């Protein structure tokens, strides 16, 4: 699987996917509490449990905020690493190009060519990195949907169902 190989070979992506899975679980818990309260609001009111439910939701939100920050910070580490690597390589390319141009081993046209390459290549590289990041996030988000499809069907249709002719009531 492409994503499993990506996780094995890139620790930043692996960490990002793990934190995204945790964030998705926390999203599910918050959704469960919210839906439970919306569907059963009358029961909550009858038993005067508004404060209890509010505290329960706040507790889940605190955990969700921590998970969200963990997820966002995995991007910051990836961004910092890529930024340092790319800026260092751009600096070195410009430095070598200037040195070669000053020595006369590089024409001004070649220097302009290198600068044009830097100006067009590195934004594409950033787009590629962010694209892989989005793919990993989308893959993690859609995993749960595919889990539903792989579950065994517990209630099966009859092979020869009885046909109903007259139904009333």
């Amino acid at each position: 699987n492409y994503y499993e190989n990506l996780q094995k070979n890139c620790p930043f992506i692996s960490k990002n996917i793990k934190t995204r899975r945790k964030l998705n679980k926390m999203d599910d818990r918050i959704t469960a509490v919210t839906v439970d309260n919306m569907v059963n609001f009358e029961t909550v009111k009858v038993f005067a449990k508004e404060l209890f439910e509010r505290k329960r939701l706040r507790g889940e939100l605190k955990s969700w905020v921590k998970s969200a920050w963990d997820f966002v910070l995995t991007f910051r580490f990836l961004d910092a690493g890529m930024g340092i690597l790319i800026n260092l390589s751009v600096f070195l390319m410009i430095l070598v190009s200037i040195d070669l141009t000053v020595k006369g081993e590089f024409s001004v046209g070649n220097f302009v060519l290198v600068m044009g390459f830097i100006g067009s290549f590195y934004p594409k590289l950033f787009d590629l990195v962010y694209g892989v990041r989005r793919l990993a996030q989308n893959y993690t988000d859609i995993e749960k949907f595919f889990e539903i499809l792989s579950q065994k069907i517990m209630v099966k249709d009859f092979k020869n169902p009885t046909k109903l002719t007259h139904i009333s009531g």
Side-chain angles (χ1 to χ4, degrees):
N1 187 342
Y2 173 76
Y3 294 102
E4 290 169 1
N5 289 334
L6 185 64
Q7 288 179 56
K8 289 177 189 173
N9 297 323
C10 185
F12 286 123
I13 297 293
S14 178
K15 176 83 170 153
N16 184 266
I17 288 173
K18 286 177 188 173
T19 56
R20 183 64 184 191
R21 283 182 183 139
K22 184 178 178 186
L23 180 60
N24 287 346
K25 286 180 185 175
M26 295 308 303
D27 278 340
D28 291 346
R29 288 173 58 175
I30 287 177
T31 301
V33 171
T34 304
V35 168
D36 190 33
N37 280 305
M38 297 299 277
V39 170
N40 299 307
F41 73 94
E42 291 171 331
T43 307
V44 172
K45 288 291 225 180
V46 165
F47 290 101
K49 291 294 184 178
E50 295 94 334
L51 185 60
F52 170 80
E53 291 299 331
R54 199 173 300 133
K55 285 180 182 177
R56 183 168 75 130
L57 183 59
R58 276 196 189 115
E60 295 296 339
L61 283 172
K62 283 180 186 176
S63 300
W64 179 86
V65 167
K66 183 187 179 323
S67 297
W69 273 110
D70 290 345
F71 174 66
V72 168
L73 288 177
T74 61
F75 283 135
R76 296 309 81 142
F77 292 127
L78 180 63
D79 291 345
M82 283 297 299
I84 289 169
L85 182 66
I86 288 174
N87 287 327
L88 185 61
S89 65
V90 167
F91 176 74
L92 288 174
M93 285 180 70
I94 292 172
L95 189 64
V96 168
S97 297
I98 290 172
D99 184 50
L100 291 174
T101 305
V102 169
K103 288 180 182 176
E105 298 173 18
F106 224 35
S107 71
V108 176
N110 286 340
F111 179 76
V112 171
L113 178 69
V114 169
M115 293 303 112
F117 171 76
I118 290 171
S120 64
F121 175 73
Y122 284 102
K124 303 274 189 240
L125 183 61
F126 272 114
D127 289 345
L128 176 68
V129 169
Y130 291 127
V132 169
R133 212 167 72 172
R134 276 191 306 273
L135 281 172
Q137 179 179 339
N138 292 340
Y139 170 76
T140 307
D141 290 346
I142 203 162
E143 273 181 327
K144 205 163 213 102
F145 295 107
F146 286 119
E147 285 176 14
I148 292 170
L149 294 175
S150 65
Q151 288 182 355
K152 186 178 178 182
I153 297 172
M154 303 299 288
V155 179
K156 297 181 181 179
D157 291 334
F158 289 111
K159 291 181 182 177
N160 297 317
T162 305
K163 294 187 180 183
L164 301 175
T165 54
H166 296 292
I167 299 175
S168 63

